[in-house]
Amino acid sequence: MSQRSGVPTSAGDAAPTLRSLANTPELQRFYERVGWRLVWNEAASRALEDVIARRADHGLDRLPFLPSIEAGETPIARDVALTRAALRYARALATGVVDPATLHAVYTLPRPDIDVVAGLASALDRGELTSWLAGLAPQDADYRQLSEAYRAAVAEQQRDSGGAPRIAAAGLIRPGDQDDRVPAIAKQLAAEGYLLTPGSTAPVRPAPSRLYTSDIADAVRALQRDYGLAEDGVVGPRTIEVLNLSPADRARAIAVALERLRWLARNPPATRIDVNIAAARLAYYRDGMLVDSRKVIVGKPGRETPLLSSPIYRLVANPTWTIPKSIENTELAHVGPDYLASHNMVRRGGYIVQQPGPDNALGMVKFDMINDQAIYLHDTSAPGLFERSQRHLSHGCVRVEDALGFAQLLAEDEGVADRWQAASGSGAQTFVPLPVRIPVRLLYQNAFVDETGRVTVRTDPYDWNGPVARALGFDDGAHTRTQADAIDIGP
């Protein structure tokens, strides 16, 4: 007997049956690694049960992992069943329940590289199953905070099992209006922490008044801002849709967010740019510290910005824009020479090209990236669109707020500020290579920890949560897909 495992170490009579029952390549590789012997003693079995019992920490509580072991089941069959369960749970923690490549036509974000077969064999041999499993999920502060928020949402859902009455979407409510729905709106805003007692963090106890006051309107604006809606304080159908999101909807969104974090490699580059497509925000990290955050405009539904890992390798001052055939054959299919001339466009080599200048759709700077999707960051000739709360408006590329300021920041950090200034002032398209490529991750997180340290749940603009949620054992929940909005022909 092994002192660590407490089960026979030799293959003996177990090997033939193990070879028969270990009917997947993963199980075969595991038992080959341990010498075709039984590995699950009472202590290890109990440790696995205890760890899986806490799977709500990862939003996995709707999935069964442990097998149903019958009283008459043989020790060999029980051993294989426990190994299968342990490997499945380990994979869920290490790389996620779902392979994102099966959900997205384009997914190039680095995945975790964790050999759960070798890890499980080693953990069982050392008697360290609990600590090994605990170390497989992301260990960062954001994951931990989302985990806490998920458990809180589940607890709230259990307390509110009957569900609050839905607020009817029947006409607009503006400040100063009298409406029968106002008490329910105020109650929901207070419950979600938007309507607080002055000078306190405690929610107010709204009076049953029909008056839509300025205080309630301010709380609605804060809600709208968090959910990426028009921040006007007017209660319309989209705001009602958000107010009607239940604790179950919130739990579902956070569970999906936890799953998406498990898809990502555990050690992202310390210097990088992360674009959260769902929230239409950019974050720039330098040596592991967040040094800049700003709004972006990303792809509209039907022209979704893909999930990419792609570095910026140069800045382009005063860029030209070669219009893709997909736009030329749709939005520009019927334009004539007058339109081209008025928009500083010419035909060149079979393509329409927009010349440099302030009216160029790319603005005054392009951040060239390496990928086969023609996706990049750039400036815009329509900066007013950044004032919108809902910024899923482009043809797939990422427009950056104050892109010239951001380019200057990158140029200074990379030691090419003088070259950038000269290129920018030249008026001609000029390329400024970066000495070191800056990794960019295009992510999709509609539940995340915002800059104030609070877990925020936004709408699901591309309606991408559904397949992930179903794989985690949730129903479809509320749908808050963004409506496509034709704004301009820019990329």
Side-chain angles (χ1 to χ4, degrees):
M1 301 287 285
S2 164
Q3 290 182 339
R4 292 184 178 178
S5 66
V7 293
T9 57
S10 61
D13 295 335
T17 307
L18 275 175
R19 292 180 187 276
S20 172
L21 294 177
N23 54 7
T24 67
E26 192 174 54
L27 285 170
Q28 291 166 5
R29 188 159 68 90
F30 174 83
Y31 281 105
E32 177 71 33
R33 192 175 188 92
V34 300
W36 294 101
R37 61 182 175 85
L38 306 186
V39 294
W40 290 94
N41 64 6
E42 184 177 346
S45 302
R46 189 164 56 249
L48 180 63
E49 292 173 4
D50 290 345
V51 169
I52 291 179
R54 297 192 297 274
R55 64 193 183 279
D57 291 349
H58 308 282
L60 296 171
D61 45 315
R62 291 172 175 258
L63 296 179
F65 287 92
L66 282 172
S68 176
I69 298 175
E70 304 296 332
E73 197 161 25
T74 67
I76 297 175
R78 176 181 177 276
D79 203 90
V80 172
L82 288 172
T83 299
R84 181 181 288 109
L87 288 171
R88 182 178 174 229
Y89 189 58
R91 280 197 311 276
L93 295 178
T95 62
V97 174
V98 186
D99 179 356
T102 65
L103 302 179
H104 301 284
V106 177
Y107 191 94
T108 67
L109 294 164
R111 301 293 313 284
D113 183 16
I114 301 171
D115 186 346
V116 295
V117 168
L120 177 61
S122 178
L124 286 170
D125 182 61
R126 298 193 312 268
E128 297 175 355
L129 180 66
T130 299
S131 59
W132 175 70
L133 287 170
L136 291 177
Q139 303 296 303
D140 58 274
D142 283 7
Y143 189 89
R144 290 193 295 273
Q145 195 165 340
L146 284 167
S147 169
E148 294 168 2
Y150 176 76
R151 293 195 303 271
V154 170
E156 184 180 355
Q157 178 185 355
Q158 292 169 346
R159 290 193 299 270
D160 189 32
S161 57
R166 293 183 65 81
I167 301 168
L172 303 179
I173 310 176
R174 295 182 172 86
D177 286 353
Q178 298 271 352
D179 194 287
D180 290 339
R181 295 169 291 171
V182 170
I185 291 170
K187 181 179 179 181
Q188 185 64 20
L189 290 167
E192 295 188 22
Y194 288 101
L195 199 56
L196 304 176
T197 301
S200 168
T201 58
V204 302
R205 293 186 177 180
S209 170
R210 298 175 65 251
L211 177 62
Y212 185 46
T213 66
S214 60
D215 287 343
I216 300 175
D218 288 342
V220 166
R221 289 188 187 93
L223 175 90
Q224 290 168 333
R225 182 170 58 251
D226 279 353
Y227 283 85
L229 305 179
E231 195 180 331
D232 55 12
V234 176
V235 178
R238 297 285 287 168
T239 300
I240 292 291
E241 187 177 13
V242 169
L243 286 166
N244 279 329
L245 291 176
S246 66
D249 295 320
R250 182 176 174 84
R252 174 182 179 271
I254 296 172
V256 170
L258 289 166
E259 170 73 358
R260 287 200 171 104
L261 290 178
R262 292 191 291 268
W263 294 348
L264 301 176
R266 297 296 184 261
N267 297 303
T271 295
R272 68 184 187 278
I273 295 167
D274 285 348
V275 175
N276 185 345
I277 300 166
R281 296 285 307 184
L282 174 152
Y284 170 40
Y285 295 86
R286 190 82 188 177
D287 298 324
M289 300 294 293
L290 177 65
V291 296
D292 188 76
S293 176
R294 58 188 66 212
K295 299 174 184 177
V296 295
I297 292 169
V298 293
K300 61 186 176 182
R303 299 275 191 159
E304 294 88 352
T305 299
L307 300 173
L308 291 177
S309 174
S310 175
I312 294 172
Y313 70 101
R314 67 183 181 186
L315 306 177
V316 185
N318 311 300
T320 63
W321 178 38
T322 300
I323 297 175
K325 289 296 182 181
S326 60
I327 296 178
E328 180 182 344
N329 296 331
T330 52
E331 287 98 325
L332 299 183
H334 304 294
V335 303
D338 290 344
Y339 178 92
L340 298 183
S342 66
H343 288 79
N344 199 20
M345 295 177 178
V346 296
R347 290 194 176 273
R348 184 183 300 156
Y351 284 85
I352 298 175
V353 178
Q354 190 173 36
Q355 307 283 45
D359 294 331
N360 187 289
L362 299 185
M364 303 304 290
V365 58
K366 175 185 177 185
F367 304 81
D368 251 345
M369 296 164 61
I370 301 174
N371 59 75
D372 59 4
Q373 301 297 315
I375 294 295
Y376 45 85
L377 277 58
H378 65 90
D379 190 13
T380 178
S381 58
L385 295 179
F386 289 108
E387 298 306 312
R388 294 192 173 209
S389 297
Q390 196 287 99
R391 296 187 299 279
H392 297 82
L393 306 168
S394 80
H395 281 75
C397 286
V398 180
R399 308 178 192 181
V400 180
E401 182 183 35
D402 183 22
L404 281 174
F406 190 56
Q408 180 67 26
L409 174 60
L410 296 186
E412 290 174 356
D413 286 348
E414 295 299 327
V416 293
D418 290 343
R419 292 184 62 190
W420 167 249
Q421 285 293 331
S424 183
S426 70
Q429 178 169 267
T430 309
F431 304 102
V432 180
L434 297 178
V436 178
R437 295 173 177 177
I438 302 176
V440 178
R441 301 191 304 174
L442 304 182
L443 309 168
Y444 188 89
Q445 291 287 115
N446 77 304
F448 56 94
V449 180
D450 66 18
E451 294 170 20
T452 69
R454 189 163 65 94
V455 171
T456 295
V457 179
R458 292 280 183 92
T459 54
D460 177 12
Y462 294 164
D463 202 18
W464 278 356
N465 279 7
V468 184
R470 289 191 291 273
L472 297 174
F474 292 82
D475 59 24
D476 278 350
H479 288 266
T480 52
R481 179 183 172 90
T482 294
Q483 300 300 311
D485 194 354
I487 295 297
D488 54 38
I489 63 167

